[in-house]
Amino acid sequence: MNKYNTNTYKLFQEKFTRLESSTLISFLRDKSVNISFDLAKNKLNSDSVIPEWEMLESYVLNLRFFIQNNESISLNNMSKLYNKSFKETKNKFEDILTIVNNNLESKCPFSINGENLTYRDFFNGMIYTQLAHAKKEENVFCRRYKTEFFKYLALDTFLRCIKMIHSNLGKINSLNEETFSIKHQKG
């Protein structure tokens, strides 16, 4: 196994371990998120159970390694690595990516002003307009995000995406262990 592959494997493992031990994942495992909204009062009800904003920011700080293509461990770059160097397990990797992408591309079970948004719309909207970028571009998500109801709808949908993505990153982490040990054993 070459040094690039070893470093990539170790970085993936390190960043996934950080995600796995994050306060957000602990919160999601220990509590049932409950978003209860009073439309008449235009505010969240007191019985709501939601994570602190800092938990989201901290999680996303590490998640960005997997979703932005400027890192060797981004899912896109890992896909290239599997296609190039790990023919034995590349189909398993591609299957996991297909699950992630199909889930993100599926339409949410509600429409807003006649428009059906995908889970990816919410995921990217939260990542790129609320959590991970200093300069927020004005777009449809931002205009909608200005309403209290939409903020909590977006949060709930985003957390669903996080759970799905995190679960699949865990599968990739396990596949990486298998793949890199196979490659190491072969020379």
Side-chain angles (χ1 to χ4, degrees):
M1 180 163 44
N2 68 39
K3 187 174 178 158
Y4 173 79
N5 291 348
T6 301
N7 290 340
T8 300
Y9 169 65
K10 287 179 180 177
L11 182 60
F12 192 103
Q13 198 171 40
E14 173 193 332
K15 294 302 177 184
F16 179 73
T17 300
R18 281 202 186 154
L19 291 178
E20 185 67 13
S21 63
S22 70
T23 55
L24 179 63
I25 294 303
S26 294
F27 179 91
L28 294 174
R29 285 188 178 130
D30 294 344
K31 300 181 175 156
S32 293
V33 172
N34 176 37
I35 298 178
S36 175
F37 195 83
D38 187 329
L39 284 173
K41 294 179 182 177
N42 194 35
K43 69 176 196 171
L44 198 62
N45 288 326
S46 61
D47 64 339
S48 294
V49 178
I50 59 173
E52 297 291 326
W53 194 255
E54 291 81 17
M55 291 178 185
L56 295 168
E57 289 176 324
S58 176
Y59 187 88
V60 167
L61 183 65
N62 286 295
L63 181 64
R64 287 172 41 174
F65 280 84
F66 299 102
I67 62 174
Q68 294 180 339
N69 288 332
N70 54 345
E71 295 293 338
S72 62
I73 63 169
S74 75
L75 295 179
N76 188 45
N77 288 332
M78 290 293 292
S79 180
K80 292 174 187 173
L81 178 63
Y82 268 85
N83 283 327
K84 178 181 167 192
S85 302
F86 302 110
K87 306 287 186 208
E88 308 90 6
T89 53
K90 83 174 186 123
N91 289 340
K92 290 179 185 178
F93 185 85
E94 288 172 355
D95 289 346
I96 296 168
L97 277 188
T98 298
I99 290 168
V100 170
N101 285 315
N102 287 346
N103 276 286
L104 289 174
E105 288 305 319
S106 64
K107 301 248 184 240
C108 294
F110 50 82
S111 71
I112 300 170
N113 297 330
E115 183 180 1
N116 284 56
L117 298 174
T118 64
Y119 285 94
R120 188 180 303 277
D121 292 328
F122 280 93
F123 180 75
N124 286 343
M126 289 294 289
I127 295 283
Y128 297 111
T129 70
Q130 302 305 313
L131 291 161
H133 284 258
K135 182 182 176 208
K136 297 178 182 168
E137 293 180 24
E138 186 63 25
N139 61 26
V140 174
F141 186 88
C142 286
R143 285 191 297 276
R144 288 187 179 126
Y145 197 82
K146 291 177 182 176
T147 67
E148 286 300 304
F149 177 73
F150 189 81
K151 285 180 185 179
Y152 293 106
L153 176 66
L155 175 61
D156 183 65
T157 306
F158 179 69
L159 290 172
R160 292 171 193 269
C161 292
I162 290 294
K163 288 177 189 177
M164 180 275 298
I165 290 169
H166 186 82
S167 170
N168 284 291
L169 286 174
K171 291 174 187 174
I172 292 170
N173 192 52
S174 295
L175 182 62
N176 285 347
E177 276 184 42
E178 173 189 332
T179 300
F180 284 88
S181 67
I182 288 170
K183 192 70 171 181
H184 183 67
Q185 290 170 4
K186 289 184 176 181

